[in-house]
Each structure stands twice: as structure tokens, then as C-alpha cells.
Amino acid sequence: MNVQPKKKQQVLGKFITLEGGEGVGKTTQIKMLVERLSKEHGIHIVTSREPGGTPGAEAVRHVLLNKAALETFGPKMEAILLSAARNDHVEQFIRPNIHAGKSVLVDRFMDSTRVYQGATGKIPAQFLGSLERVAIAGMVPELTVILDLDPLVGLTRAARRRSMGEDVDRFEKETLAVHQQRRASFEKIAKAEPQRCVLVDASGTADEVHERIWPRVAQLFGISKQGENNENEAVVA
């Protein structure tokens, strides 16, 4: 009797996204999470951003962050370009890394499009939903951390970055009312999808914000309060 060997199980990495308005501190929090997960818990993390993450998507990013591009193409074309860049990012970076057992942490993903192009860009939800389904192709984040901050504070932080040499993008130049509307839209997403999203107060020091984020991230990775990993990684046969 021939006994077929058991098919080796594939250990999948986790997929986490960080979202929020301008100046909420996503970049800083991603660095802190990578440091803690990799050095303290030995978890292999790779990071990326949107728009961008692959050579093709980075080229699209350069166009999209320029106000002249929006005036030339219009909001619907902007959304289509974003979706094309996202699909390339998913298929060339996110999915391969996750299937290789590496966890992926991305600065902005589909929720930013829902807010920036949908809520304040006035593109119909049905149109954006169709683009989203094609762009992500089933690659939905397991955890989305939405950093919540008073837009006045966020814009002040962004201005501080510019004083240190960073370029201002067209989103930072928009009115306070627009930024407030985006904050409300992110809050709405968090309330609508509590299984995936967690809304985190982004005021205070970076360390304080990190400690608010950490419990949900630790839960996703099965890290106990004592700091030990549990055997609960996602697997597929």
C-alpha cells in the first residue's frame, strides 16, 4: 500500500496597514513596530508604502502627488492610476512576500483611496468599489491601524517635516475643512469594520502612541503579555 506523503503546510505572513490623515505619524510607528517585532520577537517584517512599493507604482506616485496631474487627468483617472499601481504592488510585492512567510506592513492602502478619492474626491462609492476589487484581488489586510489626530496638530507636524527639508505634497496644501472631513471618514471606516480596523489616538509622544497600537498587533501575532509567541500562524494546505 502506497502512502502519500503529507503535503507540507505553507506558513503565511501577516498583512497590516497603517492609515490616517496628514502628519499622524505613520512612518514613525511603522519603524517602531518593525523594531519591536523583529528584534524582540524574531518576526520577519517587510515594509512598503502607497502609492508606490514597486518601480512601476513609484513612477505613478511621482505623478499623483503633483497637483498638476490631478488638474490634467481629473479625479476618476487619478483613481484608476492609483488602482493600477496598487494591483502591481499587490502582485509584485505584497502577495509574494506573504506567501514566502514574511509579514508585510504598508503605509496606506485601500482605505486611503476610499477617503481621499471617495469621501473628499467625490468619486462614487460603486466606481471605487469596482476598482478596489480588481486592484487588491482578495488581498485584504488582516489588521488596519487608523491613526486619529486633530488635523491642526497633524498639519503642524507636517510643516515641521518640511522645515527639515521634506517636500510638501498637494494633499497637505488643502483646506482644514477637507482634512477634517477625511478624519471623519477614517473614523467611519473604523466603526464599519471593527474586526479589521482599530482606531488609535495618535496624540502624545511616539512611545505613547506605539503602546496604544501594540496590543492589537501582539494579538494578531499571538504574542502573549509575557512576550512569547503562540503557535497560531495562518496556514494553507
Side-chain angles (χ1 to χ4, degrees):
M1 181 178 178
N2 292 328
V3 178
Q4 295 294 328
K6 288 185 178 180
K7 191 175 181 181
K8 188 177 179 181
Q9 288 184 321
Q10 180 184 7
V11 178
L12 300 179
K14 307 293 187 185
F15 181 24
I16 305 170
T17 56
L18 265 71
E19 297 278 9
E22 306 305 316
V24 295
K26 294 182 278 70
T27 302
T28 298
Q29 293 306 319
I30 286 173
K31 290 178 180 177
M32 295 178 76
L33 285 171
V34 169
E35 180 87 3
R36 190 165 183 176
L37 287 166
S38 60
K39 290 196 173 181
E40 294 185 18
H41 302 284
I43 297 170
H44 195 161
I45 303 285
V46 294
T47 64
S48 191
R49 67 177 183 177
E50 287 207 354
T54 62
E58 287 291 334
V60 175
R61 176 188 179 89
H62 178 73
V63 173
L64 291 173
L65 294 185
N66 187 318
K67 187 175 181 180
L70 180 61
E71 293 171 347
T72 301
F73 296 131
K76 280 195 174 182
M77 180 58 74
E78 178 185 44
I80 291 169
L81 288 171
L82 273 169
S83 298
R86 177 162 300 135
N87 183 256
D88 189 66
H89 190 206
V90 165
E91 301 304 341
Q92 300 299 322
F93 183 85
I94 297 173
R95 197 186 307 278
N97 275 296
I98 287 174
H99 280 268
K102 302 172 188 177
S103 291
V104 179
L105 190 53
V106 177
D107 183 341
R108 297 199 184 281
F109 196 59
M110 62 189 191
D111 297 301
S112 281
T113 301
R114 293 175 179 182
V115 170
Y116 282 73
Q117 282 69 47
T120 57
K122 307 303 181 185
I123 296 178
Q126 185 176 3
F127 180 82
L128 282 183
S130 297
L131 289 177
E132 180 181 294
R133 286 189 293 275
V134 172
I136 69 172
M139 188 56 67
V140 178
E142 293 174 77
L143 174 63
T144 295
V145 177
I146 298 176
L147 296 175
D148 179 57
L149 187 67
D150 183 336
L152 276 175
V153 177
L155 291 171
T156 300
R157 288 182 180 178
R160 192 180 303 126
R161 290 200 313 266
R162 293 197 301 275
S163 70
M164 295 186 289
E166 287 192 23
D167 293 332
V168 59
D169 65 45
R170 66 179 176 85
F171 296 115
E172 292 175 18
K173 297 177 182 178
E174 292 169 321
T175 67
L176 180 59
V178 169
H179 290 288
Q180 290 170 334
Q181 187 179 356
R182 287 178 183 145
R183 182 190 189 187
S185 297
F186 276 121
E187 290 175 351
K188 186 176 179 179
I189 290 172
K191 290 177 181 177
E193 300 185 50
Q195 296 84 4
R196 173 175 69 88
C197 301
V198 57
L199 190 69
V200 175
D201 178 5
S203 63
T205 67
D207 286 335
E208 289 170 339
V209 177
H210 174 75
E211 290 306 321
R212 295 173 195 144
I213 295 171
W214 180 249
R216 281 294 297 269
V217 173
Q219 180 184 38
L220 178 66
F221 284 97
I223 299 171
S224 69
K225 290 183 180 179
Q226 289 74 32
E228 296 179 353
N229 288 11
N230 295 326
E231 298 292 332
N232 68 345
E233 289 289 332
V235 297
V236 294

